[in-house]
Amino acid sequence: MPNLLLELRSEEIPARMQRKAAGDLKKLVTDALVEAGLSYEGAREYWTPRRLALDIHGLTARSADVREERKGPRTDANEKAIEGFLRGAGLSSVSEAQVVSDPKKGDFYVAVISKPGRATEEIVTDIMPGIIRDFPWPKSMRWGKASSKPGALRWVRPLQSIVCTFGPEHEETTVIPFEIDGITASNITYGHRFHAPEPITVRRFDDYAASLEKAKVILDAERRKDIILHDARDIAFANGLELVEDEGLLEEVAGLVEWPQVLMGSFEEDYLSIPSEIIRLTIKTNQKCFVTRKQGEETLSNKFILVSNIQASDGGKEIVHGNGKVVRARLSDALHFWKRDQGNLPDLETLTASAAKFGLDINKPLDQRMAKLDALDVTFHAKLGTQGARVARIRTLAKELADITGADAALVDRAAVLAKADLRTEAVGEFPELQGLMGRKYAVLQGEDASVAAAIEDHYKPQGPSDRVPEDKVAITTALADKLDTLIGFWAIDEKPTGSKDPFALRRAALGVVRILLERKVRLPLRATTKDIDLLSFFHDRLKVYLRDQGARHDLIDAVLTPDADDLLMVARRVEALTAFITSEEGKNLLAGTKRATQLLAAEEKKGTVIADGVSPALLKLDAEKELFAVISGASKDASDAVAGEDFRSAMEALSKLRGPVDRFFEDVLVNDEDAAIRANRLALLRLIREATGTVADFSKISG
């Protein structure tokens, strides 16, 4: 079967857009081909900085003929109905329609619409201009003389050429020469901008990829990543070092080069006095280079790895020299930031009021930055006030939480006051992703308690499902206060997540609270803390997500989680105990009996059947119901006592005593006895089963 090769070649596409754009191209083209009646065996997308490519193999050469019968109105219908039918069917008169007789409905018109299949070349010619013109780039541009005309083609960068060939795997291919804004598809492409600027004629994907590689272009992005990673590891190892790996940077660099050449540069060792995090970010952000360290050590070396797109005749010496000059200039700036942040601010006299408000020591650099943050009235959110006001709220909330977490109140207060101070440091101003981490470093330098310093960094954590959770009690308390203040505040101004939109990362904040409470075993009454039922429901949603990710069954979570449950740690423990119980043989059998009891009871309640207020022992006639009544009272009390003592496993064990009596009850007892009093009494006994199991979970919500 034939194959289709497509390439869209342009000026350099931003690295962050390439992977998604190639995926979008694949989906748009294959969806359009299938909608047009074609099928294919497989498709794969490729991308480099200057091209998006698509290889579709096993594509049918022609769409199938289509015959459709469209039923119309009766032959004696009004004229407008018949005219509408003819228009919809594409017929000019009723003479072109068939008349079909139905013994019951009479005679009616039927249009037979035949659509002959189309050649794949024709279909591609039709669909491709629209796909290119409407391509979903996050940002696009117009260029050249045509850019001033209405409807001019927009592309992420100027589109230069299009390749589109179609044909069998081992025979000659043909060009599908569709045209858009003066660019006509052909079988001509170009290799590396500098190493191979001559035109290349291609037929199908195999020779296209091979020809590009000869022209110094590696088409497969994953291969480029692999080459960069392994060459970088090798050159580091050869110099007695190891590469500090960075998947995000690797992805970006692979999107900047078509012919990766890995080289090593260096900078003066004096710059190693700068924190490693700053060095790494400086070199990564400004020069897209990797850093290295001595093998088995954490501190960085003064060697960095760069990736060039040119195979230089001098072995890369000039490239290394040029990159080194820029790296040194950037590190010089970083060293300046690092030293400035450890010194006094020039306007200390303007900070005395803010320092007094927060109990700050104006002689300490980090305290000065916090006073500056407050004095400048830096806005946190238009409806939630300044950063200073927010710190004051966090401080108050942290004081309340310290009683619950058992953290040292004085240390918590100090951590809360200094947590946002590094937002006014020059290092964080240059690299916002270092907030918290730089605060910790500056706190250590000015002699803060280790718990306070750790809390300044960790109060932002966890920032995602794989991020670590704070361990120190001071950090736990400060992190909870920070996240809860965010959630309470945005709920108060009705800025809640909607659908997929969550601009203030409130889902992440709530999940962070959930993880801290569960993983650090913190008992926090969320409803009393947040004073918002709707926010409590939001926490419930995040708890469900977390527990399901941990392997808990959704029905068991629903069976335990009530709308007013505000101790999430207890909910998690209940789910854990219920999971263990319900997967045991006793649990399965009790579940079956309990569900039978609750379903029968619910049906009778719906019908309005009389149910006794309580069980009368005098009306218990059969041994099975007497046994159940005798056991259920004790089991219910034992389960309730165990739940009160937060011993959920013992609560489950207490309920397990019901298994045998419940089974025998349904084997020997007819609940709907003819005697109304006995029936009402037996239904009351079923209600006792529901109430007893309800002390632990709502068994009716458990599947199985």
Side-chain angles (χ1 to χ4, degrees):
M1 292 178 72
N3 301 329
L4 178 69
L5 168 64
L6 179 70
E7 180 200 67
L8 305 175
R9 189 178 63 87
S10 67
E11 293 293 329
E12 275 71 7
I13 305 166
R16 67 183 183 280
M17 298 183 187
Q18 293 167 19
R19 183 180 292 271
K20 183 179 184 303
D24 287 340
L25 180 65
K26 174 183 171 180
K27 186 176 190 309
L28 289 168
V29 173
T30 55
D31 283 357
L33 294 174
V34 170
E35 188 177 343
L38 300 174
S39 63
Y40 63 96
E41 293 176 0
R44 184 177 172 187
E45 71 274 28
Y46 298 86
W47 62 93
T48 79
R50 299 176 63 218
R51 68 199 80 221
L52 303 178
L54 185 59
D55 170 31
I56 302 178
H57 52 273
L59 183 63
T60 47
R62 187 178 183 84
S63 63
D65 296 340
V66 177
R67 185 179 185 277
E68 176 189 353
E69 290 189 2
R70 186 174 299 178
K71 186 178 178 181
R74 285 166 52 101
T75 55
D76 57 359
N78 64 62
E79 190 174 335
K80 286 188 176 180
I82 294 174
E83 287 177 357
F85 161 67
L86 293 175
R87 277 198 307 275
L91 304 182
S92 56
S93 71
V94 292
S95 63
E96 296 177 0
Q98 297 180 5
V99 177
V100 177
S101 296
D102 187 303
K104 295 182 179 179
K105 298 181 180 179
D107 294 345
F108 57 88
Y109 291 116
V110 171
V112 178
I113 303 170
S114 295
K115 293 181 180 179
R118 295 196 299 159
T120 297
E121 292 94 324
E122 182 184 340
I123 293 171
V124 171
T125 298
D126 282 352
I127 66 172
M128 282 310 305
I131 289 173
I132 294 172
R133 190 173 292 280
D134 300 327
F135 200 80
W137 291 109
K139 291 183 178 181
S140 57
M141 62 179 289
R142 293 176 297 184
W143 62 93
K145 293 181 180 179
S147 64
S148 61
K149 299 177 182 177
L153 175 65
R154 300 184 68 93
W155 198 245
V156 62
R157 294 291 185 270
L159 188 62
Q160 296 178 327
S161 68
I162 301 171
V163 168
C164 189
T165 65
F166 180 68
E169 190 172 354
H170 300 295
E171 299 175 21
E172 275 305 310
T173 58
T174 59
V175 173
I176 304 179
F178 64 85
E179 184 269 340
I180 179 167
D181 272 32
I183 302 173
T184 301
S186 69
N187 59 353
I188 304 296
T189 189
Y190 294 82
H192 193 284
R193 183 190 295 276
F194 304 112
H195 291 308
E198 301 81 14
I200 302 169
T201 302
V202 298
R203 296 187 298 279
R204 57 183 62 84
F205 179 78
D206 287 347
D207 74 278
Y208 164 75
S211 297
L212 281 181
E213 188 136 351
K214 289 178 182 176
K216 300 291 192 287
V217 174
I218 296 174
L219 184 64
D220 187 345
E222 295 303 322
R223 259 194 71 209
R224 295 199 302 277
K225 286 175 66 174
D226 192 61
I227 289 169
I228 293 168
L229 180 60
H230 285 86
D231 285 359
R233 285 173 177 169
D234 290 347
I235 196 172
F237 182 78
N239 285 271
L241 305 169
E242 64 182 18
L243 178 72
V244 178
E245 297 186 15
D246 185 325
E247 175 61 29
L249 179 59
L250 180 62
E251 174 82 8
E252 183 177 12
V253 170
L256 296 174
V257 297
E258 291 190 317
W259 191 249
Q261 304 296 305
V262 177
L263 304 167
M264 175 174 278
S266 64
F267 54 85
E268 288 73 15
E269 291 191 355
D270 291 349
Y271 290 122
L272 294 177
S273 63
I274 306 169
S276 295
E277 295 84 359
I278 295 181
I279 295 175
R280 183 175 179 178
L281 271 175
T282 298
I283 292 176
K284 171 183 176 177
T285 304
N286 293 295
Q287 285 303 102
K288 312 304 177 189
C289 295
F290 297 86
V291 293
T292 64
R293 59 191 169 209
K294 292 183 179 179
Q295 293 176 8
E297 296 184 11
E298 287 298 317
T299 55
L300 300 184
S301 79
N302 67 326
K303 306 287 187 182
F304 63 91
I305 303 289
L306 64 101
V307 182
S308 171
N309 192 37
I310 298 173
Q311 189 172 340
S313 57
D314 66 353
K317 289 181 181 178
E318 281 301 313
I319 295 172
V320 168
H321 177 69
N323 275 266
K325 286 176 64 176
V326 178
V327 165
R328 283 188 285 276
R330 297 301 186 188
L331 288 177
S332 178
D333 291 342
L335 182 60
H336 176 70
F337 299 151
W338 171 240
K339 289 181 176 178
R340 281 273 304 256
D341 287 339
Q342 297 174 53
N344 290 329
L345 291 173
D347 53 353
L348 291 182
E349 68 281 356
T350 67
L351 306 178
T352 53
S354 292
K357 185 193 306 183
F358 290 98
L360 296 164
D361 184 346
I362 204 68
N363 295 311
K364 293 183 175 181
L366 198 57
D367 292 57
Q368 294 173 20
R369 272 69 185 176
M370 177 57 220
K372 187 72 172 180
L373 184 70
D374 178 67
L376 288 173
D377 287 334
V378 176
T379 300
F380 168 61
H381 184 279
K383 295 181 181 179
L384 293 174
T386 65
Q387 287 282 8
R390 182 171 184 236
V391 170
R393 292 195 305 269
I394 292 172
R395 188 182 187 187
T396 300
L397 185 52
K399 183 179 180 180
E400 297 174 11
L401 294 174
D403 292 335
I404 295 171
T405 62
D408 184 296
L411 296 180
V412 166
D413 186 68
R414 182 67 173 159
V417 166
L418 293 179
K420 305 297 180 184
D422 68 354
L423 295 177
R424 291 304 306 167
T425 62
E426 295 198 36
V428 172
E430 182 73 10
F431 302 112
E433 55 267 62
L434 290 180
Q435 59 188 279
L437 187 147
M438 294 311 302
R440 179 177 190 165
K441 290 185 178 297
Y442 294 134
V444 169
L445 285 172
Q446 69 176 35
E448 297 297 331
D449 185 279
S451 290
V452 171
I456 292 172
E457 177 180 4
D458 289 356
H459 84 283
Y460 288 107
K461 297 183 177 299
Q463 293 193 326
S466 59
D467 195 15
R468 65 179 177 85
V469 175
E471 296 183 24
D472 185 277
K473 287 184 178 180
V474 176
I476 288 170
T477 309
T478 313
L480 285 172
D482 177 62
K483 291 167 178 56
L484 288 170
D485 174 74
T486 297
L487 291 159
I488 293 168
F490 281 105
W491 245 251
I493 62 173
D494 200 28
E495 289 278 3
K496 306 168 188 175
T498 55
S500 61
K501 295 181 179 178
D502 187 9
F504 303 109
L506 301 181
R507 291 189 182 95
R508 186 175 69 187
L511 183 59
V513 171
V514 169
R515 287 191 61 200
I516 292 172
L517 297 181
L518 270 56
E519 295 179 30
R520 297 296 174 248
K521 297 179 173 48
V522 177
R523 303 282 305 279
L524 177 64
L526 279 172
R527 186 170 56 179
T529 304
T530 63
K531 300 177 179 62
D532 192 314
I533 292 294
D534 184 51
L535 181 51
L536 179 61
S537 175
F538 185 68
F539 277 116
H540 286 178
D541 291 340
R542 296 302 98 197
L543 175 66
K544 290 178 181 178
V545 171
Y546 175 79
L547 291 177
R548 284 199 294 265
D549 287 346
Q550 298 298 307
R553 282 169 38 182
H554 69 88
D555 58 326
L556 300 188
I557 301 171
D558 291 340
V560 166
L561 189 58
T562 59
D564 60 347
D566 71 345
D567 187 340
L568 303 190
L569 179 59
M570 288 302 99
V571 172
R573 287 178 175 173
R574 281 177 181 253
V575 172
E576 181 184 2
L578 183 60
T579 300
F581 177 65
I582 219 68
T583 53
S584 69
E585 199 61 34
E586 281 187 338
K588 291 176 185 175
N589 290 334
L590 179 59
L591 174 63
T594 300
K595 287 178 77 71
R596 184 175 177 184
T598 54
Q599 288 167 359
L600 197 159
L601 181 61
E604 294 303 318
E605 287 174 333
K606 190 174 183 179
K607 290 190 292 185
T609 304
V610 175
I611 302 171
D613 292 334
V615 176
S616 171
L619 292 174
L620 299 174
K621 302 300 183 184
L622 302 176
D623 291 342
E625 58 184 331
K626 292 176 183 177
E627 179 193 10
L628 178 58
F629 181 60
V631 172
I632 202 168
S633 299
S636 181
K637 183 180 184 307
D638 291 345
S640 295
D641 290 346
V643 169
E646 299 173 1
D647 184 355
F648 301 114
R649 291 190 181 278
S650 294
M652 302 297 174
E653 290 173 8
L655 290 182
S656 67
K657 297 173 185 175
L658 294 174
R659 173 199 165 180
V662 168
D663 289 347
R664 283 187 287 276
F665 177 84
F666 283 113
E667 288 172 5
D668 300 348
V669 178
L670 176 65
V671 175
N672 285 321
D673 194 89
E674 292 180 359
D675 187 317
I678 293 176
R679 179 171 65 248
N681 200 55
R682 288 174 178 170
L683 287 171
L685 192 54
L686 296 187
R687 188 165 56 200
L688 286 182
I689 297 173
R690 183 172 66 184
E691 290 171 355
T693 55
T695 59
V696 171
D698 184 348
F699 275 49
S700 67
K701 292 182 178 179
I702 303 175
S703 60

